[in-house]
Amino acid sequence: MNRALPTSRSIRSMDDVMDLMDRLFASDADRWTANASTWWDDFYTDRSKPIPFFATKPDENLASYVERGLVAPGRALDFGCGPGRNAIHLASLGFQVDAVDLSPTAVAWAGQRAREAGADVRFLCGDAFTPALLSGPYDLVYDSGCLHHLPPHRRVTYRALLDRVLAPGGHFALTCFAAGAAMGSELPDDALYRDGHLHGGLAFTPDDLRWLFHDLTELELRPMTAHPETADVFGVPYLLTALFHRSV
């Protein structure tokens, strides 16, 4: 028997709690749910904008993990792939890559780049937190700039996704805004709810990441190494990089 949703008593599940907490933020702060695709579509429409990570080259830390033998080719997920630069690089090294993003515009651009590079990448457009979208398990899950756009309560959803799709013995790596590097908000979590904004993204310390991923083994955690625009890898000084391993 179907019942109408109450007008004032709408919490019955954890999903309801998450949806309510999402609504505590201003609508223009929404960059993490399916409704955010319009914001990201606008962001990616003008490909000529001087956005550093529009470049067709991989993150320096990701490239170095493979070069140093810390990560070996296998099945990989590029989480929040944008124009696909990291996914295409992984595919060129022999990884079997799934790449997901909310933005149809970003996914279309990434697909065009992959075809031009002759890279075999399976691009998916949608909300990665929807269980049916990603099949897993993945030997490598890579996040370049997604975590820092999530409100604090959505870290629970993020961890649930990682727990579900990361293979035993697999690796998880990410980049995010670094605290103290003049990029990203350093307000404490509770203040963000009072303010109703994420201020363009949240900054993390190394200890923040160690606490958040405490059940994984830290292999490397360091600031991203800066590289000039002419380099064949992407590197800016305001990002923090991390590589973790999941035990078998």
Side-chain angles (χ1 to χ4, degrees):
M1 178 178 179
N2 294 326
R3 295 190 302 167
L5 183 68
T7 57
S8 58
R9 300 289 178 263
S10 59
I11 302 299
R12 187 172 58 185
S13 69
M14 184 55 67
D15 286 341
D16 295 333
V17 173
M18 292 292 181
D19 290 343
L20 173 63
M21 297 184 77
D22 285 346
R23 296 194 297 272
L24 296 179
F25 289 89
S27 59
D28 62 355
D30 180 2
R31 300 184 188 177
W32 62 89
T33 68
N35 295 329
S37 61
T38 299
W39 192 97
W40 287 110
D41 279 343
D42 290 342
F43 181 80
Y44 286 115
T45 293
D46 182 1
R47 301 180 183 183
S48 66
K49 288 188 298 187
I51 304 297
F53 57 84
F54 279 12
T56 55
K57 52 190 176 182
D59 290 339
E60 63 82 12
N61 56 300
L62 178 63
S64 76
Y65 299 151
V66 182
E67 290 171 359
R68 290 181 286 150
L70 297 176
V71 174
R75 193 165 184 227
L77 172 66
D78 185 2
F79 178 52
C81 66
R85 58 193 180 84
N86 289 307
I88 293 168
H89 179 72
L90 289 172
S92 75
L93 298 175
F95 286 82
Q96 179 186 350
V97 185
D98 287 351
V100 61
D101 202 280
L102 282 170
S103 166
T105 300
V107 170
W109 187 8
Q112 178 185 332
R113 281 180 163 181
R115 289 188 296 273
E116 292 170 351
D120 184 10
V121 178
R122 185 171 77 121
F123 289 104
L124 303 166
C125 186
D127 183 353
F129 297 142
T130 303
L133 186 65
L134 300 172
S135 56
Y138 296 100
D139 303 299
L140 171 65
V141 174
Y142 189 64
D143 168 8
S144 184
C146 180
L147 176 66
H148 59 222
H149 286 306
L150 299 179
H153 62 279
R154 284 292 172 180
R155 293 179 207 140
V156 177
T157 318
Y158 186 101
R159 278 307 323 249
L161 169 67
L162 188 61
D163 292 343
R164 181 172 61 83
V165 303
L166 182 61
H171 292 86
F172 165 64
L174 80 159
T175 71
C176 61
F177 290 147
M183 181 69 74
S185 172
E186 297 186 37
L187 288 173
D189 285 348
D190 56 350
L192 298 170
Y193 291 95
R194 289 193 294 270
D195 200 27
H197 285 275
L198 296 181
H199 304 284
L202 308 182
F204 291 81
T205 68
D207 283 343
D208 290 334
L209 297 184
R210 293 184 179 110
W211 177 81
L212 182 56
F213 303 108
H214 66 94
D215 54 326
L216 303 177
T217 300
E218 175 189 333
L219 299 183
E220 184 172 279
L221 210 167
R222 61 170 175 82
M224 178 175 270
T225 302
H227 286 267
E229 291 185 8
T230 54
D232 58 2
V233 291
F234 171 82
V236 290
Y238 52 78
L239 293 178
L240 187 63
T241 73
L243 176 65
F244 296 93
H245 178 255
R246 185 177 194 175
S247 61
V248 178

